[in-house]
Structure formats: C-alpha cells, structure tokens
C-alpha cells in the first residue's frame, strides 16, 4: 500500500531546499559511561555522528540511549564522556536543537509564541516571518494563536518539530520524537521530519526498527548489559524510505529478533 | 445561573431555620436576634454600617495588595538565592508558630490606631500562604521544559537563568500563586477585623465590639452579615479574575 502524501507535505519537498541552514557539524564521542545505583548501564562507549546526515540510534528501553543523547545535549547530570567534541573543534553547547518524545509546548503560549521560545529566552528579536513560514510547512499555518491544549497530539508534535527547526542549529537531537503518536500520524510525521531535516546533522533515538530504517542514513544499534554499540550499517537509498518496501520490513523484523535475542 | 439559584435557596433555608429557632426557643433578642430583627437593624443603621464597612474594605484590599506583593517578592527571592532559601525559609516557617493575633496589640502600639496597623495585620496574615504557594509552584516546574530551555540558552551570554525564571518558571507557577491568592482573599478579612478589635475608632470590627458593649446584638449581627458578604464578594471577584487571567489552567473538576 503506497503512503498517501498530504498536500502540505508535498509542498515541503519544494520549500525545504529554500530553508537557510546553519552549517552542520559532526560529533565525536569517546568513552561515554553511565551508571545507575553503582551498576553500569554502559561504559567506554563510542559514538560518531556524520555531519549533514541522519544517524538513528536504535535500542531497547533501559539501554541508556536517551541518556547518551542527553549527554550530547548537555542536560544529563548522570552520564559522562572522556571526550565529546564537534568536528569543527568549537563547543557543542548552544549549537543544538532538542526535541523530546513529549511536545514540551508551554500551555500558556500560542503555537507561534511556542516555536519562537528560543529567541525569546535569548533576548533576540523574533523572526515572525520565518516562524509563520515554518508553521505553514508543518501544516499549522492557521493555528499561530491557538493554545496547545486545543491541538491534537499529532499537531502538537508538529509544532514541536517547527520549534526545533526554528532554532536553526548545526545539530538536531531527537529523543523518540514520534513514539507517542498513533501509527498513521507517526508515518506522516516521519515523512515531514525527513524532508525538513535534509542537510542537517540529526541524531534520532528510537526503539522502532521501522522508524530507524525509514529515516536513518546510518543506523547504530545499542544493546546488551552493559550496553555495547553494534557495527553501524547504512540502508540503501535516501530517507525517507517508503513504508511499503518489503525489504525494509524484512530487515526491521530481523533487527527486532536480534534485539529480542 | 443554576449555581446562583442554589446559593439563594441554601441561604433562604438557613434564614428560615434561624427564625424558627428563635421562635421555638423564645430566646431573648439580646442573646440571639432573629433574622428579621437583624434586617431591620441593617436598614435602620445603613449609613453607620456603610461608613464602617468602607473602612474595613479599604483595610482588606490594601492588606491583600501589600501582603500579596510581599509574598510574591519573597517567593521569587527564595527561589533565586539558594542562600536565602537555606537561611530564611526555616525562620519563615517558625514565625508561623507565632499567632498573628498575639502581635495585634504590638502592631497597634507601633503603628497607631489608624489604618496602618490593620493593613499590616492583614498583610502579615496573607504573606505566608502566598509565599508558600508561589514558591511551591516555582519549585515544581516541569523538568522537560527546563531541559529544553537549557539547550536553547546554553553557550549564550549569561546563564539564561533569569530568562528561564521569567519566561518559564514564573508563568508555570502562576496557577499555584492563584491558589495562594485565593487563600489570602479568604483570610484577609480576619486580619483586618482582629486589628480593629484590638484598637481602633472605625471599621466593622470596631462597630461590632461597640454594639456588643451596648447590648445592640441586632446591630452586631447586621455588621457581621455585611462583613461576611464583603468577604464572599472579595473571594469570588478574585476567583473570577484569576480564572480569566489564567485561561490555560485546566479545571479537571469542571465536567464532573
């Protein structure tokens, strides 16, 4: 069954290329470690993120993949790394945008004010025009003043995606961004995200092999106790890969069995 | 509309019960006057009661403003400075063990028989619930919002702490502050009236004490009735205002 692309998503393919981008950076992490209650979750872990591409970090829950992402984001007090550097040698802090599984929209602000939160926090002037055009791209053009409580779960997560892109950062970190959504909404948002993230360095953490296989240029599997990083592999073809590709599902099933065993 | 009717019916039942009690027991009017007598007294002394009610109302409103402002400022400084929190918070809790009523005579001694001592009294009684509620709200900010904000402000000038307080912590704590203000609105009249009892020459508390001394119990009840009506009006006005100002705060009981 082919994936039906909504008109708004078809438009994005054209407009995405017009978005100006912050130059993407690669990330090199060496000797990452995390322990809970004296018991190591992972130790001496290495992770490389290629500039300008989407890296998917796949693993079962409790394996520490979110902590690894938060370590790079600089918001993990418990995990640490011996070396964590950007490919251009500049600090990573202040050059990343973070998207969580929960939309994290502020309930007292309308959608437009929510997606421009970064600029407001930094005391910068708000680029209203760019915010409005981003809202159009995610299909929320008519909801600029709507409070988050009046939006559906899918719309809220689209607003969160717009806020992430509004930041225009060299690195995008996404922590299970679509896992709280229903299957159809998830499929649409994966397409939308893939098109809008073209040319950006993205690390996407997920426990869904199909999601990783659809969106990742490169896929890393984290598993075991303590967790080890598997050999990275690169599926053929550019993301987003079609959801109805039988080869993709065969591979996903294989990965799933592998994770289970 | 239905709520208004319900309130009116409850009120009428209460008044009827009161009148029946007076008739059945045949209690002397200087012990317990019936509602009809109180109403007559209210109508007869309307000017007098209005004059004193205006004084008390002013004391309550000024007390609410000053007490809430003090509470808001102290909650913000307690949340901002860990040192202040460590040293002052235990002290603040201990001061709550002192009954404010015991301070009333001292406040009258220091601030005089006029408005200032009553406003101070009401402010003191309000200060703590507002501080405690707002500080609690400032502490309980959704951690995910703070993580997000930290990734947005990291690497910039300054720590972004002030921006996070202003744009995230304070707005997020407003519903908690509103709860504190509702408590404040219901206790502020107590502060003002206790202040008047201890030493004053005007206000409903003064009028009640004065009427009691002259065995004008009907007048005392009339003043009490006006005081209660004022307190209820203040509470509901504030409640209505807070609901309008914080429309995003969901009321999960509204549909039950």
């Amino acid at each position: 069954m082919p994936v039906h692309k909504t008109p708004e998503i078809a438009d994005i393919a054209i407009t995405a290329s017009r978005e100006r981008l912050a130059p993407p950076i690669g990330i090199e992490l060496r000797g990452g470690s995390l322990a809970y209650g004296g018991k190591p979750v992972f130790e001496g872990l290495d992770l490389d993120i290629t500039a300008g591409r989407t890296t998917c970090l796949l693993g079962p829950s409790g394996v520490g993949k979110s902590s690894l992402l938060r370590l790079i984001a600089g918001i993990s007090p418990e995990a640490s790394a011996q070396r964590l550097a950007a490919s251009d040698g500049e600090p990573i802090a202040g050059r990343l945008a973070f998207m969580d599984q929960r939309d994290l929209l502020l309930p007292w602000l309308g959608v437009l004010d929510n997606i421009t939160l970064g600029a407001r926090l930094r005391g910068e002037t708000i680029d209203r025009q760019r915010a409005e055009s981003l809202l159009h791209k995610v299909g929320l053009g008519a909801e600029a003043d709507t409070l988050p409580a009046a939006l559906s779960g899918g719309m809220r997560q689209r607003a969160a995606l717009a806020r992430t892109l509004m930041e225009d950062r060299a690195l995008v970190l996404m922590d299970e961004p679509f896992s709280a959504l229903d299957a159809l909404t998830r499929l649409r948002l994966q397409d939308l995200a893939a098109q809008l993230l073209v040319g950006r360095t993205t690390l996407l953490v997920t426990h869904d092999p199909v999601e990783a296989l659809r969106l990742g240029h490169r896929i890393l599997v984290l598993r075991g106790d303590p967790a080890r990083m598997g050999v990275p592999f690169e599926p053929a073809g550019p993301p987003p890969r079609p959801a109805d590709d039988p080869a993709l599902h065969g591979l996903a099933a294989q990965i799933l069995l592998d994770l289970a065993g | 509309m239905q709520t208004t009717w319900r309130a009116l019916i409850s009120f009428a039942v209460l008044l009827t019960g009161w009148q029946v009690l007076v008739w059945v027991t045949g209690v002397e009017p200087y012990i317990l006057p019936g509602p009809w007598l109180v109403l007559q007294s209210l109508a007869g002394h309307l000017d007098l009661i209005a004059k004193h009610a205006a004084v008390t109302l002013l004391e309550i409103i000024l007390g609410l403003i000053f007490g809430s402002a003090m509470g808001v400022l102290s909650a913000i400084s307690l949340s901002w400075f860990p040192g202040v929190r460590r040293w002052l918070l235990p002290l603040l809790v201990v001061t709550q063990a002192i009954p404010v009523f015991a301070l009333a005579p001292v406040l009258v001694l220091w601030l005089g028989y006029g408005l200032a001592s009553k406003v101070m009294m009401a402010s003191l009684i309000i200060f703590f619930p507002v501080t405690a509620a707002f500080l609690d709200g400032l502490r309980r900010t959704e951690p995910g919002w703070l993580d997000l904000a930290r990734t947005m402000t990291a690497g910039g000038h300054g720590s972004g702490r002030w921006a996070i307080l202003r744009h995230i912590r304070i707005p997020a704590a407003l519903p908690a502050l509103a709860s504190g203000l509702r408590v404040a609105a219901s206790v502020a009249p107590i502060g003002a009236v206790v202040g008047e009892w201890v030493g004053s020459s005007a206000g409903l508390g003064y009028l009640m004490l004065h009427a009691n001394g002259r065995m004008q119990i009907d007048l005392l009840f009339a003043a009490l009735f006006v005081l209660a009506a004022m307190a209820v009006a203040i509470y509901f006005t504030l409640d209505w205002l807070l609901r309008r100002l914080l429309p995003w705060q969901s009321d999960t009981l509204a549909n039950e």
Side-chain angles (χ1 to χ4, degrees):
Chain A
M1 194 189 85
V3 179
H4 292 289
K5 295 192 170 179
T6 54
E8 75 225 18
I9 290 169
D11 290 343
I12 294 149
I14 308 156
T15 44
S17 54
R18 273 189 242 138
E19 250 277 277
R20 65 194 161 86
L21 293 185
I25 52 170
I27 296 290
E28 184 191 315
L29 185 142
R30 293 287 172 268
S33 61
L34 170 70
Y36 269 122
K39 190 179 166 293
V41 178
F42 55 74
E43 255 176 341
L45 207 66
D46 298 342
L47 171 69
D48 288 292
I49 305 171
T50 323
R53 319 198 78 192
T54 298
T55 304
C56 286
L57 182 57
L58 187 64
S61 51
V63 81
K65 51 191 192 308
S66 282
S67 300
L68 202 58
L69 178 136
R70 286 169 167 267
L71 172 63
I72 299 167
I75 51 175
S76 171
E78 60 272 0
S80 63
Q82 282 159 8
R83 179 180 153 75
L84 174 59
S87 53
D88 59 2
E90 301 285 320
I92 302 170
R95 292 201 294 165
L96 62 94
F98 169 65
M99 183 175 172
D100 194 60
Q101 176 180 347
R102 295 167 302 155
D103 54 73
L104 299 178
L105 297 171
L106 302 174
W108 57 90
L109 294 180
V111 172
L112 189 113
D113 287 334
N114 255 300
I115 73 162
T116 53
L117 177 69
R120 197 168 301 108
L121 283 172
R122 291 186 295 270
E124 298 164 1
T125 42
I126 287 157
D127 189 344
R128 220 191 135 83
Q129 216 177 349
R130 190 167 161 259
E132 275 168 0
S133 106
L134 258 173
L135 279 185
H136 273 288
K137 284 181 195 172
V138 299
L140 293 174
E143 312 290 344
D145 298 321
T146 311
L147 290 181
L151 300 177
S152 70
M155 288 165 107
R156 291 168 67 112
Q157 210 56 8
R158 272 189 273 163
L161 180 63
R163 181 187 58 205
T164 311
L165 294 166
M166 188 69 202
E167 287 293 274
D168 187 30
R169 296 295 181 87
L171 173 66
V172 177
L173 300 172
M174 301 172 118
D175 191 0
E176 307 256 10
F178 314 123
S179 59
L181 303 171
D182 64 88
L184 185 63
T185 312
R186 189 182 316 143
L187 212 62
R188 286 188 176 145
L189 260 159
Q190 284 168 351
D191 283 315
L192 181 62
Q195 317 232 21
L196 290 172
L197 289 168
V198 168
R200 289 182 191 274
T201 310
T202 307
L203 175 65
L204 191 147
V205 161
T206 180
H207 60 248
D208 176 7
V210 175
E211 181 163 282
L213 286 166
R214 292 200 67 212
L215 297 181
H217 289 99
R218 213 159 144 265
I219 297 174
L220 300 165
V221 180
L222 190 64
R223 53 177 289 215
D225 183 18
R228 312 290 312 162
M229 197 72 84
V231 181
F233 68 98
E234 304 190 7
R241 299 185 188 91
D244 55 352
D245 180 356
L248 186 143
H249 284 277
L251 202 52
Q254 210 178 326
I255 294 174
L256 208 56
L257 285 173
D258 203 32
L259 285 175
Chain B
M1 215 50 228
Q2 233 186 337
T3 8
T4 319
W5 278 112
R6 238 175 274 150
L8 282 177
I9 290 167
S10 313
F11 191 60
V13 169
L14 216 65
L15 284 185
T16 315
W18 178 7
Q19 187 67 64
V20 167
L21 184 78
V22 170
W23 276 333
V24 169
T25 57
V27 65
E28 295 295 336
Y30 61 83
I31 301 292
L32 178 68
W36 180 244
L37 199 62
V38 171
L39 192 68
Q40 278 178 315
S41 174
L42 180 62
H45 298 96
L46 207 56
D47 283 351
L48 180 76
I49 293 175
K51 190 187 91 181
H52 288 288
V55 173
T56 304
L57 184 65
L58 185 65
E59 289 164 1
I60 294 171
I61 289 172
L62 286 178
L64 265 175
I65 292 169
F66 285 121
S68 304
M70 268 161 37
V72 165
L73 286 179
S74 78
I76 289 175
S77 42
L78 283 166
S79 75
W80 185 257
F81 303 108
V84 173
R85 195 159 59 240
R86 268 194 298 278
W87 286 92
L88 237 51
L89 198 57
L91 203 67
L92 214 60
V93 174
V94 169
T95 57
Q96 290 311 296
I98 306 170
V100 188
F101 309 98
L103 289 178
V106 186
L107 288 178
V108 172
L109 176 72
W110 289 344
L111 299 170
Y113 279 80
L115 203 66
S117 57
K118 284 82 193 169
V119 171
M120 190 63 180
M121 202 50 208
S123 304
L124 280 181
I125 221 168
I126 285 165
F127 168 74
F128 191 74
V130 173
T131 304
F134 194 30
L135 182 61
D136 205 41
L138 290 170
R139 272 178 167 162
R140 285 167 195 264
T141 317
E142 156 71 51
W145 293 342
L146 296 177
D147 283 342
L148 178 72
R150 279 183 199 122
T151 65
M152 285 170 162
T153 56
H157 306 291
S159 65
R161 226 180 127 216
W162 170 248
I164 289 173
L165 180 73
R166 186 179 149 211
H167 292 290
I168 296 178
R169 279 194 193 271
I170 289 179
L174 289 181
L177 173 62
S179 305
L181 291 178
R182 287 191 186 96
V183 174
S186 54
V187 298
I190 302 174
V193 170
V194 168
E196 287 170 1
W197 279 345
V198 171
S200 66
S201 51
L204 287 175
Y206 164 80
L207 184 64
M208 283 159 72
L209 214 59
H210 198 68
N212 197 21
R214 293 161 154 217
M215 295 290 250
Q216 291 174 303
I217 308 303
D218 49 343
L219 179 60
L220 184 148
F221 270 85
L224 187 62
F225 174 78
V226 171
L227 180 67
M230 244 163 44
V232 169
I234 288 169
Y235 179 87
F236 282 106
T237 309
L238 190 78
D239 187 56
W240 173 81
L241 204 70
L242 290 171
R243 274 172 204 277
R244 278 194 52 136
L245 290 174
L246 305 172
W248 48 272
Q249 189 197 5
S250 56
D251 183 352
T252 51
L253 285 177
N255 300 320
E256 275 179 19

